[in-house]
Amino acid sequence: MQRASHTRSSQKVYERGLTWIKPSFLWMMYRCGWGTKEGQETVLAIDISREGFEWALRHSCLSHYVPALHADQDAWKQQLRSTSARVQWDPERDLHLNPLPYRSLQLGLSGEAAARYADEWIVGIEDVTPLATEIRALVRAGEPERAGGLLPRETPYPAPEEALAHLRA
């Protein structure tokens, strides 16, 4: 029964275009406005398997053309069309959602990658909307140290070099 519900959910996931994995809590808060943007009022933390994440990295293409990585724009466009995962590097965010001088990976999934994500890779889902609301309230109240203490622990992902080499601009 559970498998059937996952299959139906994966159909919905990849019919709508790209599904984005945003490994950074604060970048996600920037994107959803701390869970206040219309249609983004629920914030979920979705744990996926390491194997799934690394499969997506290995089978991804940069979302933009980089001369040092691609033979030419046509080669990049062909690669983009032939992959079901794409990567973009966006500025990380601070507690006030201002951009920081370093970037975080965003991973867009479609087709096969989105189906694998929905059907195979998800190992846990947690509603973190109350946490987002609490941290935002503390930031707005001028208590950034208390807010920062509530942030989920994030560490750089120890991805194998071969999984990232084709994604470094």
Side-chain angles (χ1 to χ4, degrees), residues 9-75:
S9 69
S10 68
Q11 183 67 29
K12 289 178 186 172
V13 166
Y14 60 79
E15 279 179 354
R16 292 184 15 211
L18 291 176
T19 294
W20 287 92
I21 296 174
K22 300 176 183 338
S24 160
F25 182 82
L26 287 173
W27 203 96
M28 187 62 211
M29 294 306 98
Y30 167 73
R31 179 68 178 89
C32 73
W34 295 101
T36 63
K37 290 184 179 178
E38 185 177 342
Q40 298 181 49
E41 295 90 353
T42 300
V43 183
L44 300 177
I46 301 177
D47 293 326
I48 65 171
S49 69
R50 179 177 296 270
E51 294 80 16
F53 188 69
E54 290 180 9
W55 184 96
L57 290 176
R58 285 187 176 93
H59 292 89
S60 65
C61 175
L62 281 175
S63 62
H64 62 283
Y65 169 69
V66 176
L69 295 176
H70 307 104
D72 55 41
Q73 286 215 1
D74 288 337

Side-chain angles (χ1 to χ4, degrees), residues 23-151:
S24 160
F25 182 82
L26 287 173
W27 203 96
M28 187 62 211
M29 294 306 98
Y30 167 73
R31 179 68 178 89
C32 73
W34 295 101
T36 63
K37 290 184 179 178
E38 185 177 342
Q40 298 181 49
E41 295 90 353
T42 300
V43 183
L44 300 177
I46 301 177
D47 293 326
I48 65 171
S49 69
R50 179 177 296 270
E51 294 80 16
F53 188 69
E54 290 180 9
W55 184 96
L57 290 176
R58 285 187 176 93
H59 292 89
S60 65
C61 175
L62 281 175
S63 62
H64 62 283
Y65 169 69
V66 176
L69 295 176
H70 307 104
D72 55 41
Q73 286 215 1
D74 288 337
W76 165 73
K77 287 178 185 176
Q78 174 57 35
Q79 185 184 17
L80 195 59
R81 282 190 297 273
S82 68
T83 61
S84 60
R86 62 189 55 168
V87 164
Q88 63 187 46
W89 297 93
D90 293 317
E92 181 54 83
R93 301 291 165 158
D94 66 14
L95 273 170
H96 298 282
L97 307 183
N98 297 313
L100 293 169
Y102 55 92
R103 296 183 175 269
S104 291
L105 177 138
Q106 315 302 322
L107 185 58
L109 308 175
S110 65
E112 179 184 5
R116 286 176 179 244
Y117 168 75
D119 293 337
E120 301 169 17
W121 301 344
I122 295 175
V123 296
I125 300 174
E126 178 184 357
D127 183 351
V128 294
T129 308
L131 177 63
T133 301
E134 183 178 3
I135 293 172
R136 179 178 185 248
L138 289 169
V139 170
R140 291 176 68 134
E143 298 185 53
E145 288 175 13
R146 282 186 57 207
L150 295 176
L151 289 173

Side-chain angles (χ1 to χ4, degrees), residues 150-167:
L150 295 176
L151 289 173
R153 184 174 173 264
E154 295 178 349
T155 58
Y157 185 78
E161 181 56 35
E162 72 274 6
L164 291 176
H166 66 291
L167 303 172

